[in-house]
Amino acid sequence: MKPKITIYSLGGTIAMSNESNQQGVAPRLTADDLVKAIPQLNDHAEIETNSFLKLASANLTFKHLIELAHEIEQSIARGKQGFVITQGTDTIEETAFALQLICQIKGINQCPIVITGAMRNPTQVSADGSANLLAATIIASSQESNYRGVLVAFNDQIHLPQYISKTHASALDTFSSAPYANCGAIIENQVKYFMPAHLPPLKLDQTLADDLTTMGDEIDIPILKPGIAESPSLIEMVTDSGAVGVILEAAGAGHISVPWATAIKACAEKMPVILASRAKGYLPQNTYGYEGAEIDLLSHGLISAGMLSPLKARVLLAILTSSKNKMSLNQIKTHFKAFE
Ligand code: DAS
């Protein structure tokens, strides 16, 4: 008996085509169009399709992802055993992590949810969408993928949402989990995992589930990335802007200039400020002791992003601050500690 898999298409390059009177491609293809191009899918699963959205991925919102998670929850109740989501690659590193957190809150991590896309659209020679969609379907059809939460399948590699990032604007091998590791691969149409299931160790209580439904189309958590000699005026603007929180994309091990340090500490008195880095890797907490370095900033109320990139720290903070009964700074800090 082949597993019952639902393929949700959200748009993106994988589903783009051009029209004679228009320059360039845009999302137009349906989930059925994508599936029709790959008869081999039926060797692995009983496929149901759902053309959920037709958007470029920069337009995806938390609200879309929450609605999609609800759809998946309903499909699980109807006996579906695995899910594939096709979307644009530009924001996969954010949407995959957001969907992982949403599914953990809703308690739906038993079935595989595999996200994929394409770097070359269907009008180009050697478009990679069909190979990625076949790989994602094989992964979603394997029992070894159960209880692994959301996975990203690309270029025959399998990535975890908390580690993956898009590293190149156009290369086929754009996705990387460095300096961590991808969790598996597809080899000769077989799934090979290199590590046991590894869900983010979060205790996101179910009460957040109701709050998620109140998340609107937009959130107000800017990422501030200062270059050398940048004026701190931007922080002062954000502090008085009514933002929910701030992600500071600092240099190196979490370092900023003295003027920025003064302004960001004042901001941290009014809202959660997460200290992240524009560099890869874990953020140290007790190495540099000068003004504007991590010991100074963390001792003035900033919260370490740990191993999370600025974009992923923003996703986590958006979900934690969606609760109507405002989470305390300590509660937010506790959730970020899960990623240290
Ligand atoms: N960059 C295109 C893609 O990779 C557009 C998008 O992300 O939607 O799909």
Side-chain angles (χ1 to χ4, degrees):
M1 183 82 162
K2 285 184 272 190
K4 296 179 171 46
I5 303 293
T6 302
I7 297 177
Y8 294 97
S9 61
L10 275 55
T13 290
I14 193 170
M16 290 192 185
S17 64
N18 50 16
E19 291 203 334
S20 49
N21 59 349
Q22 254 210 338
Q23 195 177 1
V25 292
R28 292 191 183 89
L29 303 179
T30 65
D32 277 337
D33 295 329
L34 300 181
V35 165
K36 267 193 303 224
I38 322 167
Q40 300 89 329
L41 289 175
N42 299 307
D43 301 341
H44 301 275
E46 208 180 286
I47 302 287
E48 174 190 63
T49 58
N50 181 322
S51 298
F52 194 71
L53 293 167
K54 277 188 194 170
L55 294 175
S57 68
N59 293 310
L60 293 174
T61 67
F62 285 88
K63 199 171 176 184
H64 290 137
L65 297 170
I66 290 157
E67 286 163 1
L68 177 57
H70 181 68
E71 281 275 333
I72 289 172
E73 192 173 30
Q74 306 274 55
S75 298
I76 292 172
R78 284 190 295 116
K80 299 299 174 188
Q81 294 155 289
F83 305 92
V84 172
I85 297 166
T86 62
Q87 72 154 84
T89 58
D90 290 351
T91 61
I92 281 186
E93 63 197 282
E94 298 170 85
T95 57
F97 188 52
L99 195 58
Q100 175 57 47
L101 298 176
I102 293 164
C103 290
Q104 275 185 264
I105 291 167
K106 294 173 76 70
I108 51 172
N109 278 302
Q110 65 277 32
C111 298
I113 299 173
V114 188
I115 304 179
T116 194
M119 289 304 287
R120 296 175 64 78
N121 71 67
T123 71
Q124 293 177 293
V125 172
S126 298
D128 53 334
S130 291
N132 286 336
L133 180 48
L134 177 59
T137 304
I138 293 170
I139 295 162
S141 305
S142 164
Q143 293 221 333
E144 287 187 62
S145 303
N146 291 353
Y147 293 100
R148 285 182 180 268
V150 172
L151 299 166
V152 180
F154 220 92
N155 210 22
D156 281 344
Q157 303 300 310
I158 308 173
H159 298 269
L160 293 176
Q162 62 266 45
Y163 296 152
I164 192 172
S165 61
K166 182 171 181 178
T167 63
H168 193 282
S170 58
L172 288 172
D173 62 348
T174 183
F175 285 107
S176 165
S177 288
Y180 313 107
N182 49 304
C183 65
I186 286 280
I187 299 157
E188 296 175 332
N189 279 353
Q190 299 287 320
V191 188
K192 300 281 176 217
Y193 284 109
F194 311 142
M195 60 173 80
H198 179 56
L199 292 181
L202 280 167
K203 306 269 178 298
L204 288 166
D205 54 23
Q206 309 287 316
T207 52
L208 262 174
D210 299 337
D211 294 328
L212 285 178
T213 55
T214 64
M215 281 188 93
D217 290 320
E218 292 184 350
I219 59 161
D220 194 351
I221 301 179
I223 298 178
L224 305 182
K225 181 176 184 178
I228 56 169
E230 177 67 46
S231 151
S233 58
L234 186 59
I235 306 176
E236 287 134 17
M237 272 192 284
V238 166
T239 305
D240 302 330
S241 70
V244 172
V246 163
I247 308 298
L248 176 58
E249 186 168 350
H255 304 158
I256 49 174
S257 68
V258 169
W260 265 66
T262 307
I264 206 77
K265 290 172 191 172
C267 182
E269 285 170 12
K270 294 192 174 177
M271 65 183 78
V273 177
I274 309 300
L275 178 60
S277 173
R278 66 194 195 193
K280 295 264 187 193
Y282 275 88
L283 214 56
Q285 304 203 10
N286 293 298
T287 303
Y288 294 91
Y290 57 83
E291 192 177 356
E294 78 282 1
I295 292 176
D296 177 40
L297 299 175
L298 296 174
S299 65
H300 283 85
L302 277 75
I303 296 170
S304 174
M307 51 73 68
L308 293 179
S309 70
L311 282 172
K312 297 188 199 285
R314 180 175 174 276
V315 166
L316 178 56
L317 187 60
I319 289 190
L320 295 177
T321 51
S322 66
S323 60
K324 288 189 290 287
N325 41 355
K326 225 166 151 43
M327 231 183 228
S328 72
L329 216 51
N330 271 339
Q331 285 173 309
I332 291 171
K333 200 168 187 173
T334 304
H335 286 305
F336 272 90
K337 268 197 166 315
F339 292 95
E340 280 181 6

